[in-house]
């Protein structure tokens, strides 16, 4: 009898367990196909627990290491071979550009506004530019080349660290060369057009105590070498006028740039600007500010090694960082001949030497100036073609001014491809 009772209790307990497990199991949808006994796969973490979507730390570390290696390559080694001084004359040569930089930084040295050093630099730059202009007149009858030394005096309001200051200057120096395609003989002379030229700008003065090998003797060397290539007999005439501006007053808060936009005889001609700067002795050269929208797009599309970041522009705009170059004047909408679309470019590596006595030509990494010069040349050609199209479109009406802050985000993919996202006010 006892065994019969025990047997009944066991059967009752078994029924309760079976019904409980059946109730807790998920029910299949009415329209779903019957299960065929497949087992769900799961990955095991190192502690033995099953975790869905687990990635092994070694794979993640390997991926991050690969990204760092590619990024290092794009910054440190994605540079062209520097062409020597005896390279074909129709090509841009780093060694020829650096010869000008050595003459300014090594032979003359510190070139602070108002000192004998900047006067010696002015004489050197003016002589080099005038020699190229004279050579062009003798060898390029299809070009109209003009050379002009202008000494402006003026003043303007400058906002520095949220404080308005009056920035006045007297008898500064702007050395300029304008290159235009000459009309064929017998055709009607075409009057000078406003907003039709590409302005290329660099400065030859320095801050206190610095020989300015990179900032910005190298920039002057880049533009002088580009001018030499442009007037070479094998080079095509520019589609729009090109103005090379070599100014002697940037470190004193952009005084010479203001002297150009406010007082220069050619002030109303530029329709776009490319500002060539340096905040370090090594490349790559970085596009870090732009205005107008289309300049950044053309720069990223046509330069062989585009490197860019909109982060610096946004920090300057929203965090009020005191980062100013001549570009700040050229893009300023409060000036009659400002408000120019354009790009601000600078070499940024080795910032340890920036504005110090360590800024010497010998610290400039091989290939940096070659890459910088080739990028500026291709950008100049693209800007000239764009302005030629704009001239045709606006021949019978006034050019619409650039909206302040117009432009989108821009960046590069490891120095091989440029990306511009959007074209909105920022």
């Amino acid at each position: 009898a006892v065994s019969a009772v025990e047997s009944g209790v066991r059967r009752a307990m078994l029924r309760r367990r079976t019904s409980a497990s059946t109730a807790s199991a998920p029910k299949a949808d009415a329209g779903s196909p019957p299960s065929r006994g497949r087992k769900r796969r799961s990955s095991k973490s190192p502690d033995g627990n099953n975790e869905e979507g687990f990635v092994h730390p070694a794979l993640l570390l390997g991926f991050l290491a690969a990204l760092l290696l590619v990024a290092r390559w794009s910054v440190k080694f994605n540079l062209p071979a520097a062409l020597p001084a005896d390279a074909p004359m129709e090509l841009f040569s780093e060694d020829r550009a650096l010869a000008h930089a050595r003459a300014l930084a090594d032979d003359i040295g510190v070139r602070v506004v108002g000192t004998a050093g900047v006067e010696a630099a002015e004489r050197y730059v003016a002589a080099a530019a005038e020699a190229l202009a004279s050579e062009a007149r003798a060898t390029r009858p299809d070009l109209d080349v003009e050379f002009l030394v202008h000494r402006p005096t003026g003043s303007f309001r400058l906002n520095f660290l949220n404080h308005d200051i009056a920035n006045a200057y007297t008898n500064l120096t702007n050395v300029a060369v304008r290159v235009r395609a000459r009309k064929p003989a017998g055709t009607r002379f075409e009057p000078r057009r406003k907003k039709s030229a590409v302005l290329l700008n660099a400065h030859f003065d320095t801050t206190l105590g610095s020989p300015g090998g990179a900032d910005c003797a190298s920039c002057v060397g880049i533009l002088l070498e580009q001018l030499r290539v442009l007037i070479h007999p094998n080079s095509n005439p520019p589609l729009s006028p090109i103005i090379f501006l070599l100014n002697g007053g940037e470190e004193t808060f952009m005084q010479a740039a203001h002297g150009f936009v406010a007082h220069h005889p050619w002030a109303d001609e530029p329709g776009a600007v490319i500002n060539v700067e340096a905040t370090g002795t090594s490349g790559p050269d970085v596009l870090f500010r732009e205005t107008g929208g289309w300049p950044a797009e053309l720069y990223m599309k046509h330069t062989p090694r585009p490197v860019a970041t909109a982060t610096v522009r946004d920090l300057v705009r929203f965090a009020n960082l005191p980062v100013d170059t001549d570009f700040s004047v050229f893009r300023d909408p409060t000036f009659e001949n400002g408000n120019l679309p354009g790009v601000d470019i600078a070499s940024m590596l080795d910032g340890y030497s920036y504005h110090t006595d360590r800024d010497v030509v010998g610290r400039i990494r091989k290939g940096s100036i070659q890459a910088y010069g080739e990028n500026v040349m291709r950008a100049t050609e693209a800007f000239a073609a764009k302005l030629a199209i704009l001239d045709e479109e606006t021949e019978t009406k006034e050019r619409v001014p650039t909206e302040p802050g117009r432009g989108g985000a821009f960046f590069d993919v490891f120095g091989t491809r440029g990306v511009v996202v959007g074209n909105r006010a920022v």
Side-chain angles (χ1 to χ4, degrees):
V2 174
S3 62
V5 171
E6 289 178 349
S7 177
V9 170
R10 290 193 189 100
R11 284 196 298 270
M13 293 177 64
L14 181 60
R15 283 195 298 270
R16 282 196 296 271
R17 289 176 183 174
T18 303
S19 61
S21 61
T22 303
S24 62
K27 295 183 179 181
D29 295 338
S32 62
S35 173
R36 300 195 179 184
R38 292 181 181 176
K39 295 182 179 180
R40 297 183 65 186
R41 296 180 181 179
S42 62
S43 302
K44 288 189 176 182
S45 62
D47 59 4
N49 296 326
N50 291 336
E51 295 183 3
E52 295 294 335
F54 173 77
V55 178
H56 198 280
L59 294 177
L60 181 60
L61 290 176
F63 176 72
L64 293 177
L67 282 181
L68 289 175
L69 288 175
V70 175
R72 178 178 174 80
W73 169 84
S74 68
V75 172
K76 301 278 286 185
F77 305 106
N78 186 25
L79 296 173
L83 294 186
D86 58 355
M89 300 302 287
E90 64 271 19
L91 300 178
F92 182 96
S93 164
E94 176 177 297
D95 284 4
R96 288 192 286 258
L98 287 180
H100 296 296
R102 292 189 181 92
L104 291 170
D106 297 348
D107 299 342
I108 298 175
V110 179
R111 307 177 296 282
V112 177
V113 170
T115 66
V118 80
E119 292 179 359
E122 172 200 325
R123 291 192 294 270
Y124 175 86
V125 171
E130 188 174 19
L132 290 172
S134 300
E135 178 184 343
R137 296 189 194 102
T139 60
R140 292 295 300 269
D142 58 332
L143 294 180
D144 176 26
V145 181
E146 294 187 52
F147 165 79
L148 179 62
V149 176
H150 185 248
R151 304 183 190 281
T153 295
S155 64
F156 62 104
R157 182 182 64 84
L158 176 70
N159 185 274
F160 183 72
L161 295 179
N162 286 330
H163 294 282
D164 286 340
I165 63 175
N167 194 1
Y169 54 91
T170 301
N171 204 32
L172 290 183
T173 301
N174 281 325
V175 178
V177 178
R178 181 177 60 194
V179 181
R180 298 183 294 183
R182 189 184 295 276
K183 290 296 180 179
T187 59
R188 184 176 62 85
F189 175 74
E190 183 178 354
R192 178 175 60 89
R193 286 183 174 180
K194 296 181 179 180
K195 306 300 181 185
S196 63
V198 181
L199 175 64
L200 305 177
N201 176 76
H203 69 93
F204 55 82
D205 66 309
T206 68
T207 190
L208 291 167
S210 176
D215 181 23
C216 213
S218 66
C219 313
V220 173
I222 288 172
L223 294 194
L224 287 174
E225 174 66 3
Q226 182 176 346
L227 173 59
R228 188 201 60 76
V229 173
L230 180 61
I231 66 171
H232 189 272
N234 291 342
S235 299
N236 295 323
L239 298 178
S240 295
I242 311 295
I243 297 176
F244 294 82
L245 176 60
L246 308 170
N247 79 71
E250 190 270 348
E251 300 293 358
T252 51
F253 297 114
M254 303 85 67
Q255 291 175 336
H258 179 266
F260 180 86
V261 301
H263 305 293
H264 201 278
W266 303 340
D268 61 350
E269 294 188 26
V273 60
I274 298 176
N275 189 55
V276 181
E277 257 290 356
T279 59
T281 61
S282 298
D285 47 286
V286 181
L287 165 61
F288 66 98
R289 286 199 296 176
E290 63 84 36
T291 186
W294 62 263
E297 295 179 8
L298 289 184
Y299 183 89
M300 302 294 265
K301 179 179 179 181
H302 292 279
T303 53
R305 291 175 175 82
V307 178
T309 174
T311 304
V312 176
R313 178 203 62 189
D314 296 336
L315 287 174
V316 171
R317 181 180 297 276
F318 299 116
N320 196 32
L321 295 182
V323 178
D324 266 326
T325 67
D326 287 329
F327 186 76
S328 299
V329 171
F330 296 129
R331 68 177 295 276
D332 193 328
T334 64
F335 299 136
E336 180 181 358
N337 295 307
N339 199 31
L340 293 175
V343 293
D344 202 3
I345 316 166
S347 56
M348 294 187 176
L349 294 185
D350 190 26
Y352 180 71
S353 63
Y354 178 56
H355 281 185
T356 69
D357 59 356
R358 293 177 290 272
D359 184 7
V360 295
V361 176
R363 290 180 73 108
I364 298 177
R365 183 187 302 149
K366 202 76 170 175
S368 297
I369 301 302
Q370 188 70 39
Y372 205 158
E374 292 175 357
N375 280 347
V376 173
M377 287 181 62
R378 299 290 88 79
T380 303
E381 294 170 359
F383 281 28
K386 176 69 173 181
L387 291 179
I389 295 174
L390 291 178
D391 273 344
E392 294 176 359
E393 294 175 347
T394 60
E395 187 173 4
T396 58
K397 59 182 179 180
E398 187 70 19
R399 178 75 55 81
V400 177
T402 303
E403 296 181 20
R406 187 71 177 172
F410 48 88
F411 58 93
D412 68 281
V413 182
F414 299 116
T416 59
R417 183 177 296 275
V419 180
V420 177
V421 181
N423 188 20
R424 53 186 174 78
V426 294

